[in-house]
Amino acid sequence: MQLSGKRVLVTGGAGLVGSQMVDDLVADNDVTVADDLSNGVESSVHDDAEFVQADLTDESAVEAVIDDSFDAVFHFAAADKYVNTDDPRPQFEENGEMTYNILERMDEVGVTNFAFTSSSTVYGEAPRPTPEDYAPLEPISIYGSAKLSEEALLSTFAHSYDFTVWNFRFANIVGPRFGAGVVPDFVEKLDENPDMLTILGNGLQEKSYMHVTECTEAMRYVVENADDAMNTYNLGTRTTTSVNAIADIVADVMDLDPEYEYTGGDRGWTGDVPKMRLSIEKLSALGWTPAQSSDEAVRRAAEELYDRLD
């Protein structure tokens, strides 16, 4: 589907990745953002997009937002985006409820193009690099379980209700937004205490990081170039960055030399996958590869976040 001259709904369009997608789309498309602002910031929404504050767990709100004038829905909204949430049951139930509400309403009005933001957490502790066809999928967090259940629902709509679905399994996406994630966590901690940085786990956790601008560029490329009923693609980089390396990068950006202290163990929290690197060979074969390494993405995000402290 060519992303030009289309009417597009972006749910969660006030968040980190959603707002970047809106920025990408508004020049050539009519964009509406639906967000309840539980994770997003309205000022992040591009002025050329229409903004609707809506709770997408409410069927009547979804009915009011989605009509047959839309060509596609990009679904970034989530009730809780923290892998280590303190309230896992609502995370599982509400995220699935939102996705089901949106798909059901789309089917009612005949809108059948759907892009979804899933996660590397659906794989659990898998061999690296992990390809899209790796099985069995055994997530170890409620967040990963919720994403996998939503993927199953998408597959049903793709294969039984004539939808075209683009399903994106994200690595760790970083950018100029404080909130969830190790990079903003370290920037905020070092801003508060420049001499000591507390690191969850042992610091040897190692994952792939991708800058938000490359993430949305890759998404748009896949939407425009992949046309199966169910299109599942990993988004990430071929390289990884350890938590210790992230600490070093953030400290260097902030011109600090802190001591590190560790909470211990091989992971930061229950459900944390200590090492993750996704295979992006399927994405590369389609014709797109990231320009930045994992370290470069982390440094760029750290610089952007540090600038925002001023």
Side-chain angles (χ1 to χ4, degrees):
M1 181 182 72
Q2 292 303 302
L3 290 171
S4 179
K6 299 295 192 297
R7 185 156 193 244
V8 181
L9 174 66
V10 180
T11 74
L16 171 64
V17 188
S19 62
Q20 181 62 53
M21 180 61 76
V22 173
D23 289 349
D24 294 348
L25 292 174
V26 288
D28 298 315
N29 301 276
D30 179 2
V31 180
T32 298
V33 170
D35 199 308
D36 68 358
L37 301 180
S38 60
N39 296 301
V41 180
E42 186 175 352
S43 61
S44 298
V45 178
H46 198 287
D47 290 340
D48 291 339
E50 177 186 358
F51 176 76
V52 179
Q53 187 166 346
D55 176 3
L56 300 177
T57 63
D58 181 346
E59 290 182 46
S60 62
V62 173
E63 182 177 346
V65 169
I66 300 176
D67 59 35
D68 63 3
S69 67
F70 285 100
D71 297 292
V73 174
F74 282 73
H75 183 35
F76 296 91
D80 187 340
K81 298 184 178 182
Y82 287 83
V83 177
N84 57 328
T85 181
D86 293 327
D87 207 3
R89 188 181 183 93
Q91 180 187 64
F92 186 91
E93 294 176 346
E94 293 175 17
N95 286 341
E97 187 175 19
M98 270 195 285
T99 300
Y100 204 119
N101 286 346
I102 293 166
L103 291 169
E104 190 172 51
R105 178 58 177 169
M106 289 173 65
D107 187 48
E108 287 175 356
V109 300
V111 180
T112 57
N113 295 309
F114 188 83
F116 178 67
T117 56
S118 187
S119 166
S120 64
T121 57
V122 300
Y123 293 114
E125 296 188 70
R128 304 177 303 279
T130 314
E132 290 86 348
D133 59 0
Y134 171 77
L137 299 181
E138 297 180 351
I140 64 171
S141 64
I142 297 298
Y143 181 82
S145 299
K147 289 294 186 183
L148 185 55
S149 70
E150 290 170 272
E151 286 194 14
L153 187 61
L154 298 183
S155 177
T156 301
F157 274 80
H159 295 299
S160 297
Y161 294 88
D162 297 323
F163 273 53
T164 301
V165 172
W166 296 276
N167 176 47
F168 298 99
R169 293 173 177 165
F170 285 3
N172 292 58
I173 308 304
V174 294
R177 175 70 69 87
F178 286 102
V182 64
V183 181
D185 179 56
F186 284 179
V187 171
E188 289 184 310
K189 283 179 175 176
L190 287 174
D191 183 53
E192 183 177 337
N193 182 358
D195 299 318
M196 177 65 70
L197 177 64
T198 300
I199 296 175
L200 300 181
N202 57 18
L204 302 179
Q205 306 97 307
E206 191 173 320
K207 302 178 185 181
S208 173
Y209 294 81
M210 185 182 205
H211 194 269
V212 62
T213 54
E214 292 214 300
C215 173
T216 57
E217 180 183 330
M219 289 181 69
R220 289 183 290 109
Y221 185 90
V222 171
V223 168
E224 293 194 326
N225 291 279
D227 58 4
D228 290 337
M230 182 76 178
N231 304 277
T232 295
Y233 281 82
N234 290 334
L235 297 189
T237 63
R238 287 194 173 94
T239 54
T240 57
T241 307
S242 71
V243 173
N244 281 333
I246 294 172
D248 291 343
I249 290 169
V250 171
D252 182 62
V253 166
M254 299 177 72
D255 196 24
L256 300 173
D257 186 23
E259 296 290 327
Y260 299 158
E261 63 177 8
Y262 299 90
T263 61
D266 67 345
R267 62 196 71 209
W269 54 85
T270 300
D272 182 24
V273 177
K275 296 186 184 297
M276 177 276 292
R277 180 164 72 90
L278 302 177
S279 169
I280 58 169
E281 297 313 308
K282 183 178 178 181
L283 179 63
S284 178
L286 190 67
W288 194 93
T289 55
Q292 294 177 331
S293 68
S294 182
D295 283 4
E296 289 169 336
V298 168
R299 180 170 291 275
R300 178 176 174 184
E303 290 170 346
E304 291 168 335
L305 290 164
Y306 183 48
D307 286 344
R308 293 191 64 183
L309 291 176
D310 297 336

